[in-house]
């Protein structure tokens, strides 16, 4: 479900109010929920409901969410993977030590592909086919000899006649 304010990010906060029997609901992303003036203070609500005091509430760092996918660092740590590429930028400070420990470095370095073995040249192919042709003639394997003859003509640029 998308945020009802910005319409871009996923709604992660759901506010339900009952005012004089009339129930209203709001579905907001984390950013819009922090910016929205819902008419009450979250610290006050938590304190009155659960005995949670403002000093025990999560810090701004712990409340921060990825602007693209909406995941918090705590959620990333819990599921063991980031939600999108923007998570790396958003939580770089927290992710860098783990990435360093796992991969040995934080920045990606290009891996060079293994060298490609040189392909046989046309002349080498012709020489090889002619030698095999002579072997097949000696062995009286004329079907294979005919195939090799045709391959040699194609490699030499002949028209096969």
């Amino acid at each position: 479900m998308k945020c009802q304010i910005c319409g871009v990010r996923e709604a992660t906060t759901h506010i339900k109010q009952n005012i004089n029997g009339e129930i209203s609901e709001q579905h907001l992303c984390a950013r819009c929920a922090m910016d929205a003036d819902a008419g009450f203070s979250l610290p006050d609500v938590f304190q009155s409901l659960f005995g949670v005091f403002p000093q025990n509430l999560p810090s701004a760092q712990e409340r921060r969410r990825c602007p693209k996918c909406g995941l918090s660092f705590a959620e990333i740590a819990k599921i063991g993977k980031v939600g999108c590429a923007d998570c790396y930028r958003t939580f770089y400070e927290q992710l860098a030590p783990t990435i360093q420990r796992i991969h040995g470095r934080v920045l990606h370095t290009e891996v060079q592909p293994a060298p490609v073995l040189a392909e046989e040249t046309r002349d080498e192919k012709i020489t090889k086919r002619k030698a095999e042709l002579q072997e097949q003639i000696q062995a009286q394997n004329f079907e294979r000899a005919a195939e090799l003859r045709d391959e040699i003509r194609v490699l030499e640029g002949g028209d096969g006649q």
Side-chain angles (χ1 to χ4, degrees):
M1 175 182 293
K2 297 288 183 190
C3 174
Q4 289 178 315
I5 293 178
C6 70
V8 176
R9 292 175 293 274
E10 286 295 311
T12 57
T13 303
H14 307 281
I15 301 170
K16 188 182 252 186
Q17 292 179 317
N18 184 346
I19 302 173
N20 295 330
E22 189 173 322
I23 297 174
S24 66
E25 290 185 50
Q26 281 188 302
H27 305 282
L28 310 174
C29 67
R31 181 180 288 170
C32 293
M34 285 195 291
D35 295 341
D37 179 17
F40 58 87
S41 161
L42 281 178
D44 292 342
V45 169
F46 284 123
Q47 186 174 356
S48 66
L49 292 176
F50 305 109
V52 175
F53 298 96
Q55 62 269 24
N56 296 335
L57 290 174
S59 66
Q61 182 75 2
E62 293 167 334
R63 287 191 314 261
R64 186 172 51 168
R65 293 189 170 271
C66 174
K68 188 170 184 178
C69 69
L71 284 179
S72 69
F73 181 73
E75 292 166 330
I76 291 170
K78 183 177 180 181
I79 61 175
K81 61 183 179 179
V82 296
C84 68
D86 285 0
C87 288
Y88 288 105
R89 284 185 281 280
T90 305
F91 303 110
Y92 178 81
E93 308 85 39
Q94 292 102 332
L95 291 172
T98 303
I99 294 170
Q100 173 75 33
R101 189 177 66 247
I102 294 170
H103 296 288
R105 63 178 65 93
V106 176
L107 298 176
H108 175 72
T109 55
E110 185 176 338
V111 175
Q112 296 295 324
V116 177
L117 298 176
E119 191 175 316
E120 271 185 316
T121 65
R122 186 176 65 86
D123 290 339
E124 290 170 336
K125 288 180 184 178
I126 292 171
T127 303
K128 192 175 179 181
R129 300 291 188 295
K130 284 183 178 180
E132 188 180 347
L133 174 62
Q134 290 305 315
E135 290 173 13
Q136 295 302 322
I137 292 171
Q138 291 295 324
Q140 297 185 357
N141 187 354
F142 299 115
E143 286 183 25
R144 178 66 183 142
E147 291 172 3
L148 289 166
R149 179 202 61 211
D150 295 341
E151 285 181 36
I152 293 168
R153 284 186 181 157
V154 170
L155 288 169
E156 288 178 333
D159 60 2
Q161 294 180 356

